[in-house]
Coordinates of all heavy atoms in Angstrom, one line a residue:
M1 N 0.8 -1.2 0.0 CA 0.0 0.0 0.0 C 0.9 1.3 0.0 O 1.8 1.3 0.8 CB -0.9 0.0 1.2 CG -1.9 1.1 1.2 SD -2.9 1.2 2.7 CE -3.3 -0.4 3.3
A2 N 0.6 2.1 -0.9 CA 1.4 3.4 -1.0 C 1.2 4.3 0.2 O 0.2 4.3 0.8 CB 1.1 4.1 -2.3
C3 N 2.1 5.1 0.6 CA 2.1 6.0 1.7 C 0.9 6.9 1.7 O 0.2 7.1 2.7 CB 3.3 6.8 1.8 SG 4.7 5.9 2.5
H4 N 0.5 7.4 0.5 CA -0.6 8.4 0.4 C -1.9 7.7 0.7 O -2.9 8.3 1.3 CB -0.6 9.1 -1.0 CG -1.1 8.2 -2.0 ND1 -0.2 7.3 -2.7 CD2 -2.3 8.0 -2.7 CE1 -0.9 6.7 -3.6 NE2 -2.1 7.1 -3.7
R5 N -2.0 6.4 0.4 CA -3.2 5.7 0.7 C -3.3 5.4 2.2 O -4.4 5.4 2.8 CB -3.3 4.4 -0.1 CG -3.4 4.7 -1.6 CD -3.4 3.5 -2.4 NE -4.6 2.7 -2.1 CZ -4.9 1.6 -2.9 NH1 -4.1 1.2 -3.8 NH2 -6.0 0.9 -2.6
I6 N -2.2 5.2 2.9 CA -2.2 4.9 4.3 C -2.6 6.2 5.0 O -3.4 6.2 5.9 CB -0.8 4.5 4.8 CG1 -0.4 3.1 4.3 CG2 -0.7 4.6 6.3 CD1 1.0 2.7 4.5
E7 N -2.0 7.3 4.5 CA -2.4 8.6 5.1 C -3.8 8.9 4.9 O -4.5 9.4 5.8 CB -1.5 9.7 4.5 CG -0.1 9.6 4.9 CD 0.9 10.5 4.1 OE1 0.4 11.2 3.2 OE2 2.1 10.4 4.4
E8 N -4.4 8.7 3.7 CA -5.7 8.9 3.4 C -6.6 8.1 4.3 O -7.7 8.5 4.8 CB -6.1 8.6 1.9 CG -7.5 8.9 1.6 CD -7.8 8.7 0.1 OE1 -7.1 8.0 -0.6 OE2 -8.9 9.1 -0.3
L9 N -6.3 6.8 4.4 CA -7.1 5.9 5.3 C -7.1 6.4 6.8 O -8.2 6.4 7.4 CB -6.5 4.5 5.2 CG -7.3 3.4 6.0 CD1 -8.8 3.3 5.6 CD2 -6.6 2.0 5.8
I10 N -5.9 6.8 7.3 CA -5.9 7.2 8.6 C -6.7 8.5 8.8 O -7.4 8.6 9.8 CB -4.5 7.4 9.1 CG1 -3.7 6.0 9.2 CG2 -4.3 8.1 10.5 CD1 -2.2 6.1 9.4
E11 N -6.6 9.4 7.9 CA -7.3 10.7 7.9 C -8.8 10.4 7.9 O -9.6 11.1 8.6 CB -6.9 11.5 6.7 CG -7.6 12.9 6.6 CD -7.2 13.6 5.4 OE1 -6.0 13.7 5.1 OE2 -8.1 14.1 4.7
L12 N -9.3 9.4 7.2 CA -10.7 9.1 7.1 C -11.1 8.4 8.4 O -12.3 8.5 8.9 CB -11.1 8.3 5.8 CG -10.9 9.1 4.6 CD1 -10.9 8.2 3.4 CD2 -12.0 10.1 4.4
L13 N -10.3 7.4 8.8 CA -10.6 6.6 9.9 C -10.7 7.3 11.3 O -11.5 7.0 12.1 CB -9.6 5.5 9.9 CG -9.8 4.3 10.9 CD1 -11.1 3.5 10.5 CD2 -8.6 3.4 10.8
E14 N -9.8 8.2 11.5 CA -9.6 8.8 12.8 C -10.9 9.4 13.3 O -11.4 9.1 14.4 CB -8.5 9.8 12.8 CG -8.3 10.4 14.2 CD -7.1 11.4 14.2 OE1 -6.7 11.8 13.2 OE2 -6.7 11.8 15.3
P15 N -11.6 10.4 12.6 CA -12.8 11.0 13.2 C -13.9 10.0 13.4 O -14.7 10.1 14.3 CB -13.1 12.1 12.2 CG -12.4 11.7 10.9 CD -11.2 10.9 11.3
E16 N -14.1 9.0 12.5 CA -15.1 8.0 12.6 C -14.9 7.2 13.8 O -15.8 6.8 14.5 CB -15.3 7.2 11.3 CG -15.7 8.0 10.2 CD -17.1 8.7 10.3 OE1 -18.0 8.0 10.8 OE2 -17.2 9.9 10.0
W17 N -13.7 6.8 14.0 CA -13.3 5.9 15.2 C -13.5 6.6 16.5 O -14.0 6.1 17.5 CB -11.9 5.3 15.0 CG -11.6 4.3 15.9 CD1 -12.4 3.5 16.7 CD2 -10.2 3.8 16.2 NE1 -11.7 2.6 17.5 CE2 -10.3 2.7 17.2 CE3 -9.0 4.2 15.8 CZ2 -9.2 2.0 17.7 CZ3 -7.9 3.5 16.3 CH2 -7.9 2.5 17.2
Q18 N -13.2 7.9 16.5 CA -13.4 8.7 17.7 C -14.8 8.8 18.2 O -15.2 8.9 19.3 CB -12.8 10.1 17.6 CG -11.3 10.1 17.5 CD -10.8 11.5 17.4 OE1 -11.5 12.5 17.1 NE2 -9.4 11.6 17.6
K19 N -15.8 8.7 17.2 CA -17.2 8.7 17.5 C -17.6 7.4 18.2 O -18.7 7.4 18.9 CB -18.0 8.8 16.2 CG -17.9 10.2 15.5 CD -18.7 10.2 14.2 CE -18.3 11.4 13.5 NZ -19.0 11.4 12.1
E20 N -16.8 6.4 18.0 CA -17.1 5.1 18.6 C -15.9 4.6 19.3 O -15.5 3.4 19.1 CB -17.6 4.1 17.6 CG -18.8 4.6 16.8 CD -19.4 3.6 15.8 OE1 -19.4 2.4 16.2 OE2 -19.7 4.0 14.8
S21 N -15.4 5.4 20.2 CA -14.1 5.1 20.8 C -14.1 3.9 21.9 O -13.1 3.5 22.4 CB -13.6 6.3 21.6 OG -14.4 6.8 22.5
D22 N -15.4 3.4 22.1 CA -15.5 2.3 23.0 C -15.0 1.0 22.3 O -14.8 0.0 22.9 CB -16.9 2.1 23.5 CG -17.9 2.0 22.4 OD1 -17.8 2.8 21.4 OD2 -18.8 1.2 22.5
L23 N -14.9 1.0 20.9 CA -14.6 -0.2 20.2 C -13.0 -0.1 20.0 O -12.4 0.9 19.8 CB -15.2 -0.2 18.8 CG -16.8 -0.2 18.7 CD1 -17.2 -0.1 17.4 CD2 -17.3 -1.4 19.5
N24 N -12.4 -1.4 20.0 CA -11.0 -1.4 19.6 C -10.9 -1.3 18.1 O -11.9 -1.4 17.4 CB -10.3 -2.6 20.3 CG -10.7 -3.9 19.7 OD1 -10.9 -4.1 18.5 ND2 -10.9 -4.9 20.6
L25 N -9.7 -1.3 17.6 CA -9.5 -1.1 16.2 C -10.1 -2.2 15.4 O -10.8 -2.0 14.4 CB -8.0 -0.9 15.8 CG -7.7 -0.7 14.3 CD1 -8.4 0.5 13.7 CD2 -6.2 -0.6 14.1
L26 N -9.9 -3.5 15.8 CA -10.4 -4.6 15.0 C -11.9 -4.6 15.1 O -12.5 -5.0 14.1 CB -9.8 -5.9 15.5 CG -8.4 -6.2 15.1 CD1 -7.8 -7.4 15.7 CD2 -8.2 -6.2 13.6
Q27 N -12.5 -4.3 16.2 CA -14.0 -4.3 16.3 C -14.5 -3.2 15.4 O -15.5 -3.4 14.6 CB -14.4 -3.9 17.7 CG -14.2 -5.1 18.7 CD -14.4 -4.7 20.1 OE1 -14.2 -3.5 20.5 NE2 -14.9 -5.6 20.9
F28 N -13.9 -2.1 15.3 CA -14.3 -1.0 14.4 C -14.1 -1.3 12.9 O -15.0 -1.1 12.2 CB -13.6 0.3 14.8 CG -14.2 1.5 14.0 CD1 -15.5 1.9 14.3 CD2 -13.4 2.2 13.1 CE1 -16.0 3.0 13.5 CE2 -13.9 3.3 12.4 CZ -15.2 3.7 12.6
L29 N -13.0 -1.9 12.6 CA -12.9 -2.4 11.2 C -13.9 -3.5 10.8 O -14.4 -3.4 9.7 CB -11.4 -2.9 11.0 CG -10.3 -1.9 11.1 CD1 -9.0 -2.6 11.0 CD2 -10.5 -0.8 10.0
S30 N -14.2 -4.3 11.8 CA -15.2 -5.3 11.5 C -16.6 -4.7 11.2 O -17.3 -5.1 10.4 CB -15.2 -6.3 12.7 OG -16.3 -7.3 12.5
K31 N -16.8 -3.7 12.1 CA -18.1 -3.0 11.9 C -18.2 -2.3 10.5 O -19.2 -2.3 9.8 CB -18.3 -1.9 13.0 CG -19.6 -1.2 13.0 CD -19.8 -0.2 14.0 CE -21.1 0.6 13.9 NZ -21.4 1.4 15.1
L32 N -17.1 -1.6 10.1 CA -17.0 -0.9 8.9 C -17.2 -1.9 7.7 O -18.0 -1.7 6.7 CB -15.7 -0.2 8.7 CG -15.5 1.0 9.5 CD1 -14.1 1.6 9.3 CD2 -16.6 2.1 9.2
A33 N -16.6 -3.1 7.9 CA -16.6 -4.1 6.8 C -18.1 -4.6 6.7 O -18.6 -4.7 5.5 CB -15.7 -5.3 7.2
K34 N -18.8 -4.8 7.8 CA -20.2 -5.2 7.7 C -21.1 -4.2 7.1 O -22.0 -4.5 6.3 CB -20.7 -5.6 9.1 CG -20.2 -6.9 9.6 CD -20.7 -7.2 11.0 CE -19.9 -8.5 11.6 NZ -20.2 -8.7 13.0
E35 N -20.9 -2.9 7.5 CA -21.6 -1.8 6.9 C -21.4 -1.7 5.3 O -22.3 -1.4 4.7 CB -21.2 -0.5 7.5 CG -21.7 -0.3 8.9 CD -21.1 1.1 9.5 OE1 -20.5 1.9 8.7 OE2 -21.3 1.3 10.7
A36 N -20.2 -2.1 5.0 CA -19.9 -2.0 3.5 C -20.4 -3.2 2.8 O -20.3 -3.3 1.5 CB -18.4 -1.8 3.3
G37 N -20.9 -4.2 3.5 CA -21.4 -5.5 2.8 C -20.3 -6.5 2.6 O -20.5 -7.5 1.9
F38 N -19.1 -6.3 3.2 CA -18.1 -7.2 3.1 C -18.3 -8.4 4.2 O -18.4 -8.0 5.4 CB -16.7 -6.6 3.3 CG -15.6 -7.5 3.2 CD1 -15.0 -7.8 2.0 CD2 -15.0 -8.1 4.3 CE1 -13.9 -8.6 1.8 CE2 -13.9 -8.9 4.3 CZ -13.3 -9.1 3.0
D39 N -18.3 -9.6 3.8 CA -18.5 -10.7 4.7 C -17.4 -11.8 4.8 O -17.6 -12.8 5.2 CB -20.0 -11.3 4.6 CG -20.2 -11.7 3.1 OD1 -19.4 -11.4 2.2 OD2 -21.2 -12.5 2.9
G40 N -16.3 -11.4 4.2 CA -15.2 -12.3 4.3 C -14.3 -12.1 5.5 O -14.7 -11.5 6.4
D41 N -13.1 -12.7 5.5 CA -12.2 -12.6 6.6 C -11.6 -11.1 6.6 O -11.3 -10.6 5.5 CB -11.0 -13.6 6.5 CG -11.5 -15.0 6.8 OD1 -12.6 -15.1 7.5 OD2 -10.9 -15.9 6.3
L42 N -11.4 -10.6 7.8 CA -10.8 -9.2 7.8 C -9.5 -9.1 7.1 O -9.2 -8.1 6.6 CB -10.7 -8.7 9.2 CG -11.9 -8.2 9.9 CD1 -11.6 -7.7 11.3 CD2 -12.6 -7.1 9.1
N43 N -8.7 -10.2 7.1 CA -7.4 -10.1 6.4 C -7.5 -10.0 4.9 O -6.6 -9.6 4.2 CB -6.5 -11.3 6.9 CG -7.1 -12.6 6.5 OD1 -8.3 -12.7 6.3 ND2 -6.2 -13.6 6.3
N44 N -8.7 -10.2 4.4 CA -9.0 -10.1 3.0 C -9.7 -8.7 2.6 O -10.0 -8.4 1.5 CB -9.9 -11.2 2.4 CG -9.1 -12.5 2.4 OD1 -7.9 -12.6 2.2 ND2 -9.9 -13.5 2.7
L45 N -9.9 -7.9 3.7 CA -10.6 -6.5 3.6 C -9.6 -5.6 2.9 O -8.5 -5.4 3.4 CB -11.1 -6.0 4.9 CG -11.7 -4.7 4.9 CD1 -13.1 -4.8 4.1 CD2 -12.1 -4.3 6.3
S46 N -9.9 -5.1 1.8 CA -8.9 -4.2 1.1 C -9.1 -2.8 1.6 O -10.1 -2.3 2.1 CB -9.2 -4.3 -0.5 OG -10.4 -3.6 -0.8
D47 N -8.0 -2.1 1.4 CA -7.9 -0.6 1.8 C -8.9 0.1 0.9 O -9.5 1.1 1.3 CB -6.5 0.0 1.7 CG -5.9 -0.3 0.4 OD1 -6.0 -1.4 -0.2 OD2 -5.2 0.6 -0.2
E48 N -9.2 -0.3 -0.3 CA -10.1 0.4 -1.3 C -11.5 0.4 -0.6 O -12.2 1.3 -0.7 CB -10.1 -0.2 -2.7 CG -8.9 0.0 -3.4 CD -7.9 -1.1 -3.3 OE1 -8.1 -2.1 -2.6 OE2 -6.8 -1.0 -3.9
I49 N -11.9 -0.8 -0.1 CA -13.2 -0.9 0.5 C -13.3 0.1 1.6 O -14.4 0.8 1.7 CB -13.5 -2.4 0.9 CG1 -13.7 -3.2 -0.3 CG2 -14.8 -2.4 1.8 CD1 -13.8 -4.7 0.0
L50 N -12.3 0.0 2.5 CA -12.4 0.9 3.7 C -12.4 2.4 3.3 O -13.2 3.2 3.8 CB -11.1 0.7 4.6 CG -11.1 -0.6 5.4 CD1 -9.9 -0.9 6.1 CD2 -12.4 -0.6 6.4
I51 N -11.5 2.8 2.4 CA -11.5 4.2 2.0 C -12.8 4.6 1.4 O -13.4 5.7 1.7 CB -10.3 4.5 1.0 CG1 -9.0 4.4 1.8 CG2 -10.4 5.8 0.3 CD1 -7.8 4.4 0.9
Y52 N -13.3 3.8 0.4 CA -14.6 4.2 -0.3 C -15.7 4.2 0.7 O -16.5 5.2 0.8 CB -14.9 3.2 -1.3 CG -16.3 3.4 -2.0 CD1 -16.4 4.4 -2.9 CD2 -17.3 2.6 -1.6 CE1 -17.7 4.7 -3.4 CE2 -18.6 2.9 -2.1 CZ -18.7 3.9 -3.0 OH -20.0 4.2 -3.6
H53 N -15.7 3.2 1.6 CA -16.9 3.2 2.6 C -16.8 4.4 3.6 O -17.8 5.0 3.9 CB -16.9 1.9 3.4 CG -18.0 1.9 4.4 ND1 -19.4 1.9 4.0 CD2 -18.0 1.8 5.7 CE1 -20.1 1.8 5.0 NE2 -19.3 1.8 6.1
L54 N -15.6 4.7 4.0 CA -15.5 5.9 4.9 C -15.8 7.2 4.3 O -16.4 8.1 4.9 CB -14.1 5.9 5.5 CG -13.7 4.8 6.5 CD1 -12.2 4.8 6.7 CD2 -14.5 5.2 7.9
K55 N -15.5 7.3 3.0 CA -15.8 8.5 2.2 C -17.4 8.6 2.1 O -17.9 9.8 2.1 CB -15.3 8.5 0.8 CG -13.8 8.9 0.8 CD -13.2 8.9 -0.6 CE -11.8 9.3 -0.6 NZ -11.3 9.4 -2.0
M56 N -18.0 7.5 1.9 CA -19.5 7.5 1.6 C -20.3 7.2 2.8 O -21.6 7.4 2.8 CB -19.8 6.5 0.5 CG -19.1 6.7 -0.8 SD -19.5 8.3 -1.5 CE -21.2 8.1 -1.9
R57 N -19.7 6.9 4.0 CA -20.5 6.5 5.1 C -21.5 7.5 5.6 O -22.6 7.1 5.9 CB -19.5 6.2 6.3 CG -20.1 5.6 7.5 CD -19.0 5.2 8.5 NE -19.6 4.3 9.5 CZ -19.3 4.4 10.7 NH1 -18.3 5.2 11.2 NH2 -19.8 3.5 11.6
N58 N -21.2 8.8 5.6 CA -22.1 9.8 6.1 C -22.8 10.6 5.0 O -23.4 11.6 5.3 CB -21.4 10.7 7.1 CG -21.0 9.9 8.3 OD1 -21.6 9.1 8.9 ND2 -19.8 10.2 8.8
A59 N -22.6 10.1 3.8 CA -23.1 10.9 2.6 C -24.6 10.6 2.4 O -25.1 9.5 2.9 CB -22.3 10.5 1.3
D60 N -25.3 11.5 1.8 CA -26.7 11.2 1.4 C -26.8 10.1 0.5 O -26.0 9.9 -0.4 CB -27.2 12.5 0.8 CG -28.6 12.4 0.3 OD1 -29.4 11.5 0.8 OD2 -29.1 13.2 -0.5
K61 N -27.7 9.2 0.8 CA -27.9 7.9 0.0 C -28.2 8.2 -1.5 O -28.0 7.3 -2.3 CB -29.0 7.1 0.6 CG -28.7 6.7 2.1 CD -27.4 5.8 2.2 CE -27.2 5.5 3.6 NZ -25.9 5.0 3.9
N62 N -28.7 9.4 -1.7 CA -29.0 9.7 -3.1 C -28.0 10.4 -3.8 O -28.1 10.8 -5.0 CB -30.4 10.5 -3.1 CG -31.5 9.7 -2.7 OD1 -31.7 8.6 -2.9 ND2 -32.4 10.4 -1.9
Q63 N -26.9 10.7 -3.1 CA -25.7 11.4 -3.7 C -25.0 10.6 -4.7 O -24.9 9.4 -4.5 CB -24.8 11.8 -2.6 CG -23.6 12.6 -3.1 CD -22.7 12.9 -1.9 OE1 -23.0 12.9 -0.8 NE2 -21.5 13.4 -2.2
A64 N -24.6 11.2 -5.9 CA -23.8 10.5 -6.8 C -22.5 10.0 -6.3 O -21.8 10.6 -5.5 CB -23.6 11.3 -8.1
I65 N -22.1 8.8 -6.8 CA -20.8 8.2 -6.4 C -19.7 9.1 -7.0 O -19.8 9.4 -8.1 CB -20.7 6.8 -6.9 CG1 -21.8 5.9 -6.3 CG2 -19.3 6.2 -6.6 CD1 -21.9 4.5 -6.8
P66 N -18.7 9.5 -6.2 CA -17.7 10.4 -6.6 C -17.0 10.1 -7.9 O -16.9 10.9 -8.8 CB -16.7 10.5 -5.5 CG -17.5 10.2 -4.2 CD -18.5 9.2 -4.7
G67 N -16.7 8.9 -8.1 CA -16.0 8.5 -9.4 C -16.9 8.5 -10.6 O -16.4 8.6 -11.7
I68 N -18.2 8.5 -10.4 CA -19.2 8.4 -11.4 C -19.7 9.8 -11.7 O -20.3 10.1 -12.7 CB -20.3 7.4 -11.2 CG1 -19.7 6.0 -11.1 CG2 -21.3 7.4 -12.3 CD1 -20.6 4.9 -10.7
K69 N -19.7 10.6 -10.7 CA -20.3 12.0 -10.7 C -19.9 12.8 -11.9 O -20.7 13.5 -12.5 CB -19.9 12.7 -9.5 CG -20.8 13.9 -9.3 CD -20.5 14.6 -7.9 CE -21.4 15.8 -7.7 NZ -21.3 16.3 -6.3
K70 N -18.7 12.7 -12.3 CA -18.2 13.5 -13.5 C -18.9 13.1 -14.8 O -18.9 13.9 -15.7 CB -16.6 13.3 -13.7 CG -16.2 11.9 -14.1 CD -14.7 11.7 -14.1 CE -14.2 10.4 -14.4 NZ -14.8 9.7 -15.6
D71 N -19.4 11.9 -14.9 CA -20.1 11.5 -16.1 C -21.6 11.5 -15.9 O -22.3 11.1 -16.8 CB -19.7 10.0 -16.4 CG -18.2 9.9 -16.8 OD1 -17.7 10.8 -17.4 OD2 -17.6 8.9 -16.3
Y72 N -22.1 12.1 -14.8 CA -23.5 12.1 -14.5 C -24.3 13.1 -15.4 O -23.8 14.2 -15.5 CB -23.7 12.4 -13.0 CG -25.1 12.4 -12.6 CD1 -25.8 11.2 -12.4 CD2 -25.9 13.6 -12.4 CE1 -27.2 11.2 -12.0 CE2 -27.2 13.6 -12.0 CZ -27.9 12.4 -11.8 OH -29.1 12.4 -11.5
E73 N -25.4 12.6 -15.9 CA -26.3 13.5 -16.6 C -27.7 13.4 -16.0 O -28.1 12.3 -15.8 CB -26.3 13.1 -18.1 CG -25.1 13.4 -18.9 CD -24.8 14.8 -19.2 OE1 -25.8 15.6 -19.1 OE2 -23.6 15.2 -19.4
D74 N -28.4 14.5 -15.9 CA -29.7 14.5 -15.3 C -30.7 13.9 -16.3 O -31.7 13.2 -16.0 CB -30.2 15.9 -15.0 CG -29.5 16.5 -13.8 OD1 -29.2 15.7 -12.8 OD2 -29.3 17.7 -13.7
D75 N -30.4 14.1 -17.6 CA -31.3 13.7 -18.6 C -30.8 12.3 -19.3 O -29.7 12.3 -19.8 CB -31.4 14.7 -19.7 CG -32.3 14.4 -20.9 OD1 -33.2 13.6 -20.7 OD2 -31.9 14.8 -22.0
F76 N -31.6 11.3 -19.3 CA -31.3 10.0 -19.8 C -30.9 10.1 -21.3 O -29.9 9.5 -21.7 CB -32.3 9.0 -19.6 CG -32.0 7.6 -20.1 CD1 -31.1 6.8 -19.5 CD2 -32.6 7.1 -21.4 CE1 -30.7 5.6 -20.0 CE2 -32.3 5.9 -21.8 CZ -31.3 5.1 -21.2
K77 N -31.6 10.9 -22.1 CA -31.4 10.9 -23.5 C -30.0 11.6 -23.7 O -29.3 11.0 -24.6 CB -32.5 11.8 -24.1 CG -32.4 11.9 -25.6 CD -33.5 12.8 -26.2 CE -33.3 13.0 -27.7 NZ -34.4 13.8 -28.2
T78 N -29.7 12.6 -23.0 CA -28.4 13.2 -23.2 C -27.2 12.2 -22.8 O -26.3 12.1 -23.6 CB -28.2 14.5 -22.3 OG1 -29.3 15.4 -22.7 CG2 -26.9 15.2 -22.5
A79 N -27.4 11.5 -21.7 CA -26.5 10.5 -21.3 C -26.3 9.4 -22.4 O -25.1 9.1 -22.7 CB -26.9 9.9 -20.0
L80 N -27.3 9.0 -22.9 CA -27.3 8.0 -24.0 C -26.6 8.5 -25.2 O -25.7 7.8 -25.8 CB -28.7 7.5 -24.4 CG -28.9 6.3 -25.3 CD1 -28.1 5.1 -24.6 CD2 -30.2 6.0 -25.5
L81 N -26.9 9.7 -25.7 CA -26.2 10.2 -26.8 C -24.8 10.5 -26.6 O -23.9 10.3 -27.6 CB -26.9 11.6 -27.2 CG -28.4 11.4 -27.8 CD1 -29.0 12.8 -28.0 CD2 -28.4 10.6 -29.0
K82 N -24.4 10.9 -25.4 CA -23.0 11.0 -25.1 C -22.2 9.7 -25.0 O -21.1 9.6 -25.6 CB -22.8 11.7 -23.8 CG -23.0 13.2 -23.8 CD -22.6 13.9 -22.4 CE -22.7 15.4 -22.5 NZ -22.3 16.0 -21.3
A83 N -22.9 8.7 -24.5 CA -22.2 7.4 -24.4 C -22.0 6.8 -25.8 O -21.1 6.1 -26.1 CB -23.2 6.4 -23.6
R84 N -22.9 7.2 -26.8 CA -22.8 6.6 -28.1 C -21.8 7.5 -29.0 O -21.6 7.3 -30.1 CB -24.1 6.5 -28.8 CG -24.9 5.4 -28.2 CD -26.2 5.2 -28.9 NE -26.9 4.1 -28.4 CZ -28.1 3.8 -28.7 NH1 -28.8 4.5 -29.6 NH2 -28.7 2.7 -28.1
G85 N -21.4 8.7 -28.4 CA -20.5 9.6 -29.1 C -21.1 10.5 -30.1 O -20.5 11.1 -31.0
I86 N -22.4 10.6 -30.0 CA -23.1 11.5 -31.0 C -23.0 13.0 -30.5 O -22.9 13.8 -31.4 CB -24.7 11.1 -31.0 CG1 -24.8 9.7 -31.6 CG2 -25.5 12.0 -31.8 CD1 -26.1 9.0 -31.5
I87 N -23.0 13.2 -29.2 CA -22.7 14.6 -28.7 C -21.6 14.5 -27.8 O -21.3 13.4 -27.2 CB -24.0 15.2 -28.1 CG1 -24.5 14.4 -26.9 CG2 -25.1 15.4 -29.2 CD1 -25.6 15.1 -26.2
K88 N -21.0 15.7 -27.5 CA -19.8 15.7 -26.6 C -20.2 16.5 -25.4 O -20.9 17.3 -25.3 CB -18.6 16.2 -27.3 CG -18.1 15.3 -28.4 CD -16.9 15.9 -29.0 CE -16.5 14.9 -30.2 NZ -15.2 14.7 -30.4

């Protein structure tokens, strides 16, 4: 894992963990994994899952996903025409 990802994970993890300081780190990571829909072993939990879940954890459920937001169109017809390369 690259240093910037470790720093990003710690930056996202710290304020959320402080809200539930009664849990130890493994308990909190397990809780995050369950919230994210991950049901495997914790040693298989990827940093991508944690980072994405922590970014979206307190977001509005109707909010566009950050990676997809740049391609979001309100109008389905416009989105379809852009996807087909008819309009830019």
Side-chain angles (χ1 to χ4, degrees):
M1 185 186 323
C3 287
H4 73 279
R5 291 176 69 175
I6 293 171
E7 291 168 0
E8 182 180 16
L9 182 57
I10 291 171
E11 182 180 313
L12 293 167
L13 188 61
E14 183 180 12
E16 294 300 315
W17 190 16
Q18 285 180 351
K19 292 176 189 175
E20 302 185 44
S21 59
D22 58 318
L23 301 176
N24 68 42
L25 180 58
L26 287 177
Q27 290 171 326
F28 188 63
L29 292 175
S30 179
K31 180 178 181 174
L32 290 175
K34 286 178 187 171
E35 287 177 8
F38 181 83
D39 51 349
D41 291 332
L42 278 183
N43 60 338
N44 295 324
L45 180 64
S46 70
D47 52 317
E48 290 94 358
I49 292 173
L50 287 172
I51 290 171
Y52 174 77
H53 182 65
L54 287 165
K55 283 183 177 182
M56 298 302 293
R57 188 174 193 216
N58 297 317
D60 179 17
K61 301 297 179 198
N62 297 320
Q63 181 180 344
I65 297 170
I68 297 175
K69 190 174 184 176
K70 63 181 177 58
D71 297 323
Y72 181 77
E73 291 290 337
D74 288 326
D75 177 32
F76 178 75
K77 182 179 176 182
T78 303
L80 187 60
L81 292 173
K82 280 187 175 183
R84 291 186 175 170
I86 297 171
I87 62 174
K88 294 185 184 216

